[in-house]
Amino acid sequence: MGGYALGSAFDSKSGQMIMVSLLLMFGSFFLGNLFGNNAPIYVSQVSETSSSYSSSAAISTFINKVSLTYRETPLVVPANGMNICPLKFNEYIPCHDISYVKQLARDLNLSKSEQLERHCPPLGKRLFCLVPPPQDYKIPIKWPVSRDYVWRSNVNHTHLAEVKGGQNWVHEKNQLWWFPGGGTHFKHGAAEYIQRLGNMTTDETGDLRSAGLVQVLDVGCGVASFSAYLLPLDIQTMSFAPKDGHENQIQFALERGIGAMISVIASKQLPYPSNSFEMVHCSRCRIDWHENDGILLKEVNRLLRPKGYFVYSAPPAYRKDKDYPVIWNKLVDLTTGMCWKLIARKVQTAIWIKEEDPSCLKHNAELKVIDICDAVDETKPSWKTPLMNCIQLAGATTASKKLPSRPERLSVYSESLSRIAFKRGVLLHALEISSDNMSYGIGISREEFSSDSNFWQDQVHYYWKLMNVSRTEIRNVMDMNALFGGFAAALNEYPVWVMNVVPSSMQNTLSAIYDRGLIGAFHDWCEPFSTYPRTYDLLHANHLFSQYKYSGEGCQFEDIMLEMDRILRPQGFVIIRDEDSIISRIQDLAPKFLWEFESHILENKEKQRETLLICRKKFWAVL
C-alpha cells in the first residue's frame, strides 16, 4: 500500500537513491533519525553476577526473570511480570517448531510435506514467556531503504547468502544484508523478469498491470523480491513459503518490509478465500504440481479469479532431459482437464489462463476427466479445510463481477457481503448461523459499507496524531480483526502494507477485503500466527478480545497478548478498542508484558464515546 509512488522512485532514480541511502545509513546510525534508537532501554539481569550492569548510567534494568516457562492451567502471570524466555528461543514460532514436529513425524505424510504445515503444540507444551530479541538486535531500517538493506544482526543466518548468493537473492555487506533483487529464476533482477511476464500475458502490448493484475499469490517466495518489484505497478502480493531448508526466507522478507507469511500448500487449503488472485506465481517453488491427481493445481484453481494466470517458471517448462518431459505432459493433461489455456511458453516460463467456461468443465466431468465439487458455503472461512480433489464451479456473482484496478478498487462494495448474517447490527459467529434459527438479518448494505470506510478514514488520522510518529515510522501492519478492510483501505496513502486477518470463528468477510484490492488471511487467535517474532510495527485490535472472551483455555487475554508481543517489533505499537472492562484488564496486564500505554477517548461508529488504548512495546534485551 502506498507502494506505487515509492516503487516509481526506486525505478526512476535507483542508483542515486541507493547511494544517498547508504550515506544516510552510516551517517545516521547513531543519531537514530533514520533507523530509530538502536540501543535497548531495558536489560534483563540473567544472574546475580550480571548486576554490575545496573550501575551503568546507559543501561536500565527490569525485574522480569529469565526463565523457560510453559503454559499452565490455570493461567498465572507472575507478580513481577512475564518471564523472559532464554536467548536461544529468540526465533520461536510455536506452530512451526521443528522439535515438536519431530515428535509427530511418525503420524505425518512426508510425501505430502505435512511436516511443513502448522502443528500447534498443546497448551502445556507452549512457551509462556516473552520471546527475546537476538544479540545485537537493532531497530529495523526504515522503508523504502529496507527493500534493499537490512541489519545483519537482526537475521543472523548465512545459509541463504551462501547457497543463493550466485542467484542474487542476498549478499553480505559488512553490518548489512543486501538484496539485489534476484531470484533462482531471475538472477539478473526481478524487474526484467516482471516485464517479461507482462509481455507474455499481453502479447507484447503491455505490462502486468495492463494485464489486469491487482493481487498475486507468490508460492515459495524466497526473500520476496518478486513482490517487492511488483509494488511500482501497485500490485499487492501475498507471499508465502514454508519454514524449511531455505532457512529464514520469510523472516528476511518481513524484515525488508514486504508482506509475507509462513505457509505451505500440502494437505490443507491455504487460508485465503476462493477467487481472490489474478495470478498465482511459482518460480522454482519446489511444488510437485503433477502428483496426486493434480490436487495442488486444483487448489490453485480455487484461488484464481476467472481469467486469472498461473505462472510456472521451472525446469519442466523448458528442459528436455531427465523426466522433465513426462512431468510437462502430465501438467498439460491436468490443466487441459481444468479447462485452462496455455497462452505462452518461452524463456523458461509457461503461463496458463483460467478460462471462464463452465460448459467445458461440465463436459470434462462427463468424460470423467475431473470431478465437480458439491456446492460450498462461501460464507465459511477456509481454515484447516482439507484439500478438495475437485473443481468448484464459479457462482453467478463470481463469474460476472468485473473489478476495477487500484486505487478505485479500494472503494468497491463486494457482493459477498450480501450473504453475511448479522443480528442487532453485529456480525454473527459462523457457529451461530443455522437453518433452524433465522432470527437474524442477511446482508451488509452498501450504505453500511460506505459508512464503515468513512469511519476508518477519520480514525487513521487520529491514530497517527496520538501515536506521535512520522509516516515512515511504521511499515508492517496487521489488522487482527479486519471485518471489511476499512482500516487497511484508509492506510492506502501511507507507506505501509497491511495483513488483514479475519478470525476463523467469524463469517468470511475476507472475500470482500480481497475484492477491495487488499490482502489478508484467516486465522484463529486461540493459536499463534504463522510468522517470525518481531515482524510487525503496528497491531490493530478492534473489538478482538471481546470476540474471544468466552472461548476458554488458550484464548485468554494473556494468551493473545503474549502472541501480540511475540510478533511485535521492539518499540512497535498496539492499538486496542474494546469494551471498558476489557480495556481495564489490559491496562493491568500491559506493564507485566513490558508495554507502556496511554488511554484516549474517541467516538465509535455509533457516535458513542469509546476508550482507545495505545500500547508501545519497550525495547529490551537479555544480557
Side-chain angles (χ1 to χ4, degrees), residues 309-338:
Y309 302 97
F310 176 60
V311 175
Y312 181 66
S313 297
Y318 60 91
R319 288 179 57 172
K320 305 299 183 183
D321 59 331
K322 300 182 179 179
D323 59 348
Y324 293 131
V326 174
I327 294 173
W328 173 256
N329 289 335
K330 288 183 178 180
L331 289 173
V332 170
D333 290 343
L334 289 166
T335 53
T336 301
M338 294 189 298

Side-chain angles (χ1 to χ4, degrees), residues 386-559:
L387 289 176
M388 296 189 295
N389 194 16
C390 55
I391 299 296
Q392 183 73 44
L393 292 178
T397 56
T398 301
S400 62
K401 66 182 178 184
K402 302 296 182 184
L403 298 171
S405 297
R406 286 170 52 96
E408 292 79 15
R409 189 180 289 194
L410 292 168
S411 58
V412 164
Y413 170 84
S414 171
E415 293 299 329
S416 66
L417 293 177
S418 65
R419 301 188 292 271
I420 298 299
F422 64 92
K423 188 173 185 178
R424 299 188 186 93
V426 178
L427 263 66
L428 297 179
H429 284 242
L431 294 177
E432 295 178 292
I433 303 171
S434 62
S435 58
D436 57 352
N437 177 19
M438 296 299 292
S439 61
Y440 48 78
I442 299 292
I444 304 300
S445 70
R446 293 177 183 272
E447 291 73 20
E448 290 171 299
F449 173 80
S450 178
S451 175
D452 180 82
S453 298
N454 293 334
F455 172 78
W456 288 114
Q457 289 286 345
D458 292 336
Q459 299 308 298
V460 163
H461 172 74
Y462 294 138
Y463 285 177
W464 253 253
K465 185 176 180 180
L466 294 173
M467 288 189 293
N468 192 28
V469 295
S470 68
R471 289 194 172 200
T472 59
E473 192 76 13
I474 290 171
R475 173 62 184 171
N476 298 355
V477 179
M478 176 185 281
D479 193 353
M480 301 177 71
N481 186 25
L483 195 58
F484 312 138
F487 174 66
L491 286 170
N492 183 56
E493 298 302 321
Y494 289 70
V496 304
W497 71 272
V498 183
M499 176 70 79
N500 292 280
V501 177
V502 171
S504 61
S505 59
M506 301 302 291
Q507 298 171 77
N508 170 24
T509 58
L510 194 56
S511 288
I513 290 171
Y514 271 90
D515 282 354
R516 298 182 80 164
L518 304 167
I519 60 172
F522 296 114
H523 183 66
D524 180 2
W525 287 113
C526 295
E527 299 178 359
F529 194 74
S530 289
T531 193
Y532 280 83
R534 302 171 301 280
T535 54
Y536 287 94
D537 301 297
L538 171 62
L539 302 176
H540 184 238
N542 179 43
H543 290 264
L544 174 75
F545 288 91
S546 54
Q547 286 195 20
Y548 285 92
K549 64 181 178 180
Y550 301 121
S551 297
E553 286 297 327
C555 310
Q556 296 189 31
F557 295 172
E558 294 88 341
D559 295 307

Side-chain angles (χ1 to χ4, degrees), residues 202-223:
T202 63
D203 196 22
E204 308 291 334
T205 62
D207 57 20
L208 289 179
R209 183 176 171 88
S210 63
L213 267 66
V214 173
Q215 289 140 311
V216 172
L217 182 66
D218 192 11
V219 182
C221 63
V223 295

Side-chain angles (χ1 to χ4, degrees), residues 591-607:
K592 296 186 176 184
F593 283 80
L594 298 175
W595 295 1
E596 300 170 317
F597 67 86
E598 293 180 352
S599 61
H600 303 272
I601 301 296
L602 293 178
E603 285 188 347
N604 61 17
K605 294 179 186 178
E606 289 73 38
K607 304 295 184 182

